[in-house]
Structures are given as C-alpha cells and as structure tokens.
Amino acid sequence: MANPPARRMTAANREVLLSRREVEGLIADGKTVIVVDGKILKVDAWLKYHPGGDKAIMHMVGRDATDEVRALHSLEALRRMNAYQIGTFQGRWRNFLPPIQGGRFRPYSQDQEDIDDGFEQCSSSQSTSPPDSPIFDAKDSPGALRRRKDGYTTVSSSSSVSSLGAESLEHGPKLSHLDATTQKEIDLDLAKYPPLDSATQDDIVRRYRQLNDRIRAEGLYQCNYTSYCIEACRYATLFTLFLLFLHWSWYCTSGLFLGMLWHQLVFTVHDAGHMGITHNFTVDTVIGIMIADFIGGLSLCWWKQNHNVHHIVTNSPEHDPDIEHMPFLAISHRFFDSLRSTYYDRIMTYDAFAKFTIRYQNYLYYPILLLGRFNLYRLSWEYLILGQGPKKGPAWWHRWLEIAGQIFFWTWFGYGVVYKCIPTAGSRWAFVMISHMVTAPVHVQITLSHFAMSTADLGVDESFPQKMLRTTMDVECPEWLDFLHGGLQFQAIHHLFPRMPRHNLRRAQKLVQEFCKDVGIPYALYGFVDGNKEVIGKLGEVGRQAALLAQCQRTIAEKGDYSHH
C-alpha cells in the first residue's frame, strides 16, 4: 500500500533551520506541526490516514513529541515520518499548549522574530475550563498577568497551566471551593514529584531513554511466543468448556466459561493493538481484529483510537476518554463544571441525573462495571457505522474487515448460540448477562490503574515519563496470578513502554523501580485489595464533594446571595 501524499521537499529544504516563532506562525495558520528528534514535521496530509486517529496527533501539536512517538510507533513508522519533515530546530524545544487543549498562536511576521518569550504564552495558552472558573498562573511566574475575560495569558515559558503558590492564594482573589480544591491537588503534586524546571525534566528524559535502550538490549521487546502457546491452550480449554456445558444445557455455566474466555482474550487484543506480538502493523492488526471483532464482537480500531489518546493525555478530565464516564462516574470534582470532552466533542453535562449518581458512585462502581461490556458494543457500532476511522491509506481496509467480523460475531453468538441453542427467554437472558458480567474484572483492572491517581495538569513542561508515572499505578500480585491480570497489573510500566510484550513486563519492573528511585519519582504500587480501596475512597471523596456542592447551591438559592459564587 502506497503511503499518503507528503509534501515534496528536497533534502536541503528539509534541513532548513526553523525558529520557534516560525513554527508558532505555521500553527496559527492552521498547520499541524509537531517536533520529533529535533525535526519539524508538518503532518496535515497524514491526519486522515493515521490508523491511531487524528486526535492523538492533535494533542502533540506544538510539542516535542519524541518520547510519545517513539513509545507508540515502530522503527518503520518513525522512518516514514521523515517524509513530512519541513525543517529542523536546534537547542531545547519549549512546548506550546496544543490548539485542541486551548492553545492560542500568533501569525508569523519577520519583524516579530525576536519577540518570543515575553508574549509567547500570551497567544498559546488558554484554559479549557469554563470562562467563569478562575484559572491559576504558573508557580514560577509570580509576575504573570491573566486577562480572565478574554482568555489571554501572559506567563513565563516554563508552564501554561495553573499552579499558584500559597502566598499567591493568600493575597490573590478569593477562590471558590472547587477551584481551591484544584489548586490543592496541583500543589500536592508539585510537592510530591520532581520540579518542572528544564534541567530536572531533561535529566528525567535522558535517564528514561537510557532505560529504554537497556530494555531493548536485554531483549524485553522480543515476544515470548512460548507464553502465547500456553495462552492458546488456556483459550482452547475455556472454549471447549463453553461448548460442552452448552451441549449439556447448563446454560449459566456455559455463559460463565464464555465470559472467562472473552476476559482472557482481551489481553491478547491489547497486545496486538500495541503491536506487541509480532511488531508488524498488518499482522498484529489482523490478529487483533480476528479476536476482538470475530470472537468478541468489539471493534479493535475503535479501541486503538481511544487508547492512543489515553496514552498521551492520561487522566486529563477534558481529554482522556478512559476517565470520561459522565453521568455515572467522576474521578475529579472538575467534572462538576460540565467540561467539554475534546475526544467526544461534546459537553459532559453535570445535570440532575449526574448530581444524583455521582453522590453514590462509590456504591455504584462495581454494578456499573458489571455492565461495561454492553457500552463497548455501543461505542464499537458507533465507530464502524459512522465511519470514524481512516477511509484511505494503510488502514482503509480495517473498517470493512471489522464489519465482516461484527456480522460473523452476531451470527454465531446472537443467532447460533443465544437464539438457536438456548430454548427459553429466561435462560437466554441469564446466559447473556452471566457471560458479559464475568468480564467485569477487566474493567476493574483498567480503572484501578488510573482512577485513584492524580488528575492535576502540571502543564506543558512535564516530561512524558513523569506524567505517566504520576497518573498510573501498578498492582502487586504473585507471579502465578499474572494470567488473571493479563499484564494490566503493570500499567505504569506499560505506559512507559507500550509496545513491550506483556509477558516481559514483570522482568522490566525492577528496572523501572530503579529508574524511579534515581530520578525521584514515586512508583505507585498497591495490592489488588488496597488498590480497590484507593479507588473506592477516591470515588467517595468526589461524591462527598458533589453533595457539599449541592448543599451550597441550595443554601445560596434559599438566601438569594450569589455574591460569593
């Protein structure tokens, strides 16, 4: 398959030196420009062809995306990106806030070439919070000015997010309870994790890249196919038991084993989606679609688009679809502001139903996850029916193979098993519910790794490895239980090295722990029970904040005093 058209440039033109100011001007003109290994890439022509979706790229516009791109792409893909190079940059790149996250950019003119730092963030930083919510200036920018009415900001180049110090809070404007809570979370992270200055973050990145080289040298990117032979035997056993009990008319037991099979297959789909099996894009995609669509009824390519964004903007309330579960669950008080999801391109309204459910979400958490698979069907159908994936380029055929897979799945499962093999409506209902609810541990495992971790935004200067470790936890379990967790218990390691085969994650754990100790980043590791307690505690805390907010609103409405809103 030929690559999509890239801008034709000579080798000399690709090496032209571009300034940060010129790149800002390109972005202001609507161009999609990212920085990878000191190369300036204009990837507008690739957006509609990208198998991982356009939003994953859009969150990297104006940023040094080197570590994110390397983590999620093969060496072959990295080489192909050179076709979109329009120049180079020398020195340390200072990130912009991407337009999708509210960044604002000035058109370029040569007489403004030297005007950079003083006004730079004024046009490239803007909060995505509602306009009536106070926005904080960077802690290391005490002289920064904020024009709250029009959204423009003047800050130093070190950060584009909010993080006031205690002194600023004391002498600055009075903050609402929710804004003060946001600030408290930011201050806690700033105190707990390494500073955001360039020297510290550059050292973290340098050591992270050295760790990646060591992991590669020790062969941890090589797939252990013997482990997959053992997995295949487990799958075959579960499938046989599903058919055997179905034949014996033990429908509930049959549904139990089918659900266990789906639960186990998810882990291999996850590996395939990250090209962690053969490291070949086409082969791993076919493996993933055959399992996810043909056997499980879920769209691999929907998941990849969703999951790639999650890996880039992990635990960001406005941007990470994996934590956007309104109106049922909210892991941050910031959802009370009816945030706009940049992934779903809609307002996550904090309406009357959400106000009720969020208050009791710590009790509803497990019942909701029991029904999680049904929501995945909805998201898969929406993706395929609306044609949200690439229609051209190397992934053009994915949609059609997935649609064939969906037809196959609902033929064998919906018609062949549920309708033809199970005689009564009650037995059908029990079979379907049990087979789907048994997969809930996967949803628990996924949410467990992030729900209890930080959702604070520390700005554009936080390095990729620090952000991944700050927003992700690992779950401790004995090695003999690894098959039950499927590698998802090593989410922090996985977020640092997404393409590492899951059977090697345990071997990499000690290396990551050494790295964390060297750079001073806390490594979050909980037992499964303690991790669940952390999640339930976090949900309960946000639920109490929701109840407090509702009480305050009732009091204000009764007294008619809106002056302190």
Side-chain angles (χ1 to χ4, degrees), residues 452-471:
M453 299 301 287
S454 175
T455 59
D457 185 352
L458 298 189
V460 296
D461 287 329
E462 185 177 29
S463 62
F464 170 72
Q466 176 168 313
K467 182 171 184 178
M468 295 302 102
L469 290 165
R470 185 173 60 84
T471 56

Side-chain angles (χ1 to χ4, degrees), residues 92 195-206:
R92 183 183 189 276
L196 299 178
D197 62 273
S198 59
T200 301
Q201 294 300 308
D202 286 352
D203 182 62
I204 291 173
V205 169
R206 179 180 62 82

Side-chain angles (χ1 to χ4, degrees), residues 104 122 125-126 131 146-153:
R104 305 187 61 166
C122 177
S125 303
Q126 181 185 21
R146 171 72 63 175
R147 289 200 232 159
R148 288 181 173 82
K149 291 185 178 179
D150 60 14
Y152 282 88
T153 313

Side-chain angles (χ1 to χ4, degrees), residues 325-389:
H325 302 296
M326 292 289 284
F328 300 104
L329 299 171
I331 66 169
S332 171
H333 64 277
R334 295 193 57 223
F335 287 103
F336 303 164
D337 281 332
S338 292
L339 298 176
R340 176 182 174 272
S341 167
T342 58
Y343 182 83
Y344 294 109
D345 195 22
R346 61 176 173 82
I347 301 295
M348 297 177 287
T349 307
Y350 186 58
D351 54 19
F353 181 74
K355 291 176 181 178
F356 175 80
T357 56
I358 300 305
R359 291 174 63 180
Y360 304 101
Q361 62 179 350
N362 51 320
Y363 302 106
L364 298 173
Y365 172 66
Y366 293 115
I368 288 173
L369 295 190
L370 286 172
L371 304 175
R373 192 174 184 89
F374 294 103
N375 185 52
L376 300 185
Y377 289 142
R378 178 188 67 84
L379 293 168
S380 297
W381 297 338
E382 182 179 274
Y383 174 86
L384 294 173
I385 293 172
L386 298 181
Q388 295 175 351

